[in-house]
Amino acid sequence: EVVMTQSPATLSVSPGERASLTCRASQRVSSNLAWYQQKPGQAPRLIIYGASSRASGVPARFSGSGSGTEFTLTINSLQSEDFGVYYCQQYNSWPPMYAFGQGTKLE
Amino acid sequence: LLVESGGGLVQRGGSLRLSCAASGFSTEFFVMGWVRQAPGKGLEWVSVISGSGETTHYADAVKARFIISRDNSKNTVDLQMNSLSADDTALYYCVKEGCSGGDCYDHFDVWGQGTMVAVSS
């Protein structure tokens, strides 16, 4: 089964700076890689799908890239509302399962 | 919009049925599912069901104990949880698959606010 590993566990960045979050798969996966943002007390929100497509309403400062086993979420010019925990997720068709990474806390 | 209900406190070994009511779209065209989050922990996928209800998938941790079902006429998705243990204590989110087509599995674009399940020993 595919295991998704995110790094770093915690990333400290100042507003206005760029943040790069990494998600690695234990085996080569398709580009069906999604990123979610979760703020305290809130449900997760879809940010990126298909490795690089922004979800509806997501600002252009969010971008996704990668393929194979390594994927990156980049946030340019960090805003105060961007802080929270980010999860990557991949769907694997066999065995059928959705695999989440353990999360990166952006503070 | 997804609204979950049915959570609560249950004893170890007991059962609970969660329900998710969808509005603003027709569930029959989408895979629907459940994702849970234990207190202070990350996201864990639980189960999904195809648009027709004919195909279901479960995480190993809940296989043979949980049953997902749907009623497209009511736009609802349920999760019957049996033989509950402390490890099942979590906030359970109802989710909608982001790709259209009743048999498309990829990512989740709509999340409910969650319903809390606490299992006491």
Side-chain angles (χ1 to χ4, degrees), chain A residues 1 32-34 36 38 41-46 48-50 87 89-91 96-102, chain B residues 31 35 37 41-45 48 57-58 60 93 97-98 104-114:
Chain A
E1 94 185 25
N32 295 354
L33 193 285
Y36 302 86
Q38 187 178 35
Q42 296 185 17
R45 169 198 178 197
L46 177 68
I48 296 287
Y49 65 95
Y87 296 94
Q89 170 259 311
Q90 209 273 334
Y91 175 75
M97 62 173 292
Y98 293 79
F100 286 95
Q102 81 278 19
Chain B
V31 169
V35 172
Q37 185 170 36
K41 303 296 184 182
L43 302 173
E44 179 186 19
W45 167 69
V48 290
H57 298 304
Y58 299 92
D60 287 345
Y93 292 104
E97 173 54 66
C104 180
Y105 305 87
D106 191 275
H107 61 275
F108 303 121
D109 67 343
V110 180
W111 296 63
Q113 285 304 303

Side-chain angles (χ1 to χ4, degrees), chain B residues 32-56:
Chain B
M32 300 290 294
W34 295 88
V35 172
R36 68 185 181 183
Q37 185 170 36
K41 303 296 184 182
L43 302 173
E44 179 186 19
W45 167 69
V46 174
S47 179
V48 290
I49 185 168
S50 64
S52 66
E54 292 181 356
T55 303
T56 57

Side-chain angles (χ1 to χ4, degrees), chain B residues 5-51:
Chain B
S5 61
L9 179 63
V10 62
Q11 285 192 329
R12 179 169 57 93
S15 299
L16 210 57
R17 188 177 185 89
L18 306 183
S19 188
C20 170
S23 59
F25 67 96
S26 180
T27 57
E28 68 177 308
F29 300 118
F30 300 94
V31 169
M32 300 290 294
W34 295 88
V35 172
R36 68 185 181 183
Q37 185 170 36
K41 303 296 184 182
L43 302 173
E44 179 186 19
W45 167 69
V46 174
S47 179
V48 290
I49 185 168
S50 64

Side-chain angles (χ1 to χ4, degrees), chain A residues 5-82:
Chain A
T5 302
Q6 293 184 239
S7 61
T10 303
L11 182 61
S12 297
V13 185
S14 299
E17 295 185 337
R18 172 187 295 179
S20 290
L21 290 66
T22 299
C23 177
R24 289 186 174 88
S26 59
Q27 62 192 66
R28 188 175 180 85
V29 296
S30 69
S31 293
N32 295 354
L33 193 285
W35 292 92
Y36 302 86
Q37 174 196 65
Q38 187 178 35
K39 297 180 182 180
Q42 296 185 17
R45 169 198 178 197
L46 177 68
I47 300 295
I48 296 287
Y49 65 95
S52 60
S53 297
R54 278 190 303 276
S56 176
V58 174
R61 61 180 181 271
F62 288 86
S63 64
S65 63
S67 63
T69 61
E70 186 162 329
F71 299 84
T72 301
L73 174 67
T74 301
I75 312 171
N76 291 309
S77 300
L78 269 165
Q79 305 294 305
S80 58
E81 61 265 29
D82 298 336

